[in-house]
Amino acid sequence: MDRIVVTEDVQRLGIKNPVGCLISGLEVRSGASELDEHVEKLERKISENSEEILSREEVSAYHDVFEAVGHPGQEPAGEQLVRLIREQGLNRHNNVVDAYNIASAERGMGLGMHDVTALSGDVYVHRASGGERILPIFHEQPVQATTGDVLHEVGGQILGILGPVDRDAGAYRVTEATDQALLLSLGNEKTAEEDNRAVCRRAYDLICETCPDATLTFLDVRTRDATDADSAVASP
């Protein structure tokens, strides 16, 4: 797994500078006291002035992506995370999930993290035909993509859907069995590649506080015509 392939019709939605990285050598565990200070600082900042995060154009532009997909009014994942932290504090899971949730909420940017220990192949970001299904994390019922939603998958396995819901597949959630994870920041029209790289790097730095031997590898990005499944050229 060394590249992300994005179709041109996804780029036209505003997802112009997606960034993904592989984080290997993870040691996932339930306790993460090393992150307590970061959590407390984040919760205090959001409690006192969450608008400082949410008013940034790099955050508000996620709404434009959902409108372009055909789901105006959908609450983007980063914004939803900030709201939930404001209402009830950060819901702690494990050292790795906590780390990338902190990085996501600090910037109000949506991130996806998936266990790819057993997967291989390109990360393929494309629009749905309609009818594709995943069972999201912490859900009992599957959700179904509508035509034109944005999917990201590896080796034919759908990892996440951006559509009437913004959900990741529970089958590839990060658990104590995870050794390697894919971290993905799709971004929007206003997030430069540097913005998406920075939030991934911040998540990695936080992960290293509990996984000092973890390594980070950014993936190359290629663009593909949505009608030509066999050609890929370098992104402009």
Side-chain angles (χ1 to χ4, degrees):
M1 187 181 301
D2 57 7
R3 67 180 183 176
I4 302 171
V5 178
V6 185
T7 57
E8 292 177 346
D9 56 351
V10 166
Q11 289 192 321
R12 288 193 290 270
L13 298 173
I15 300 175
K16 296 184 178 300
N17 300 296
V19 167
C21 58
L22 286 178
I23 302 178
S24 304
L26 295 172
E27 297 179 5
V28 184
R29 52 181 167 82
S30 58
S33 60
E34 297 92 335
L35 300 177
D36 288 352
E37 184 176 340
H38 297 289
V39 172
E40 292 167 5
K41 181 179 179 181
L42 174 66
E43 290 177 341
R44 183 166 58 251
K45 179 178 181 179
I46 289 176
S47 175
E48 293 173 354
N49 189 9
S50 60
E51 285 305 310
E52 182 179 343
I53 298 171
L54 298 178
S55 63
R56 297 172 57 240
E57 66 175 2
E58 294 90 347
V59 177
S60 60
Y62 284 101
H63 287 276
D64 299 333
V65 174
F66 280 104
E67 185 170 354
V69 172
H71 303 291
Q74 169 70 8
E75 184 178 39
E79 184 176 313
Q80 182 183 68
L81 179 59
V82 171
R83 176 179 59 79
L84 291 173
I85 292 172
R86 184 177 62 228
E87 293 173 355
Q88 59 192 38
L90 179 66
N91 186 16
R92 307 288 292 268
H93 296 284
N94 60 52
N95 58 320
V96 173
V97 173
D98 291 353
Y100 86 79
N101 276 337
I102 293 168
S104 174
E106 285 176 343
R107 292 161 170 77
M109 296 173 63
L111 289 175
M113 179 173 265
H114 313 281
D115 182 343
V116 294
T117 306
L119 297 178
S120 62
D122 293 338
V123 182
Y124 185 35
V125 184
H126 63 100
R127 303 197 73 174
S129 300
E132 298 92 338
R133 292 156 64 92
I134 65 168
L135 181 63
I137 297 173
F138 307 128
H139 284 64
E140 296 182 357
Q141 298 296 324
V143 298
Q144 181 169 295
T146 58
T147 302
D149 290 351
V150 177
L151 308 178
H152 56 276
E153 62 181 69
V154 174
Q157 301 300 307
I158 299 173
L159 305 182
I161 294 176
L162 189 156
V165 294
D166 187 358
R167 295 287 184 268
D168 292 334
Y172 299 100
R173 71 188 187 278
V174 173
T175 70
E176 293 185 8
T178 301
D179 174 72
Q180 184 179 71
L182 168 69
L183 182 62
L184 190 64
S185 178
L186 292 178
N188 57 59
E189 186 84 42
K190 299 297 183 180
T191 56
E193 179 182 348
E194 292 76 13
D195 297 317
N196 291 322
R197 280 182 170 260
V199 69
C200 290
R201 171 67 70 172
R202 172 59 172 163
Y204 170 70
D205 288 344
L206 290 165
I207 288 169
C208 285
E209 295 197 16
T210 61
C211 301
D213 295 327
T215 61
L216 173 71
T217 304
F218 282 104
L219 305 179
D220 292 334
V221 179
R222 299 288 185 266
T223 301
R224 175 177 296 177
D225 188 305
T227 62
D228 183 358
D230 297 319
S231 66
V233 295
S235 296

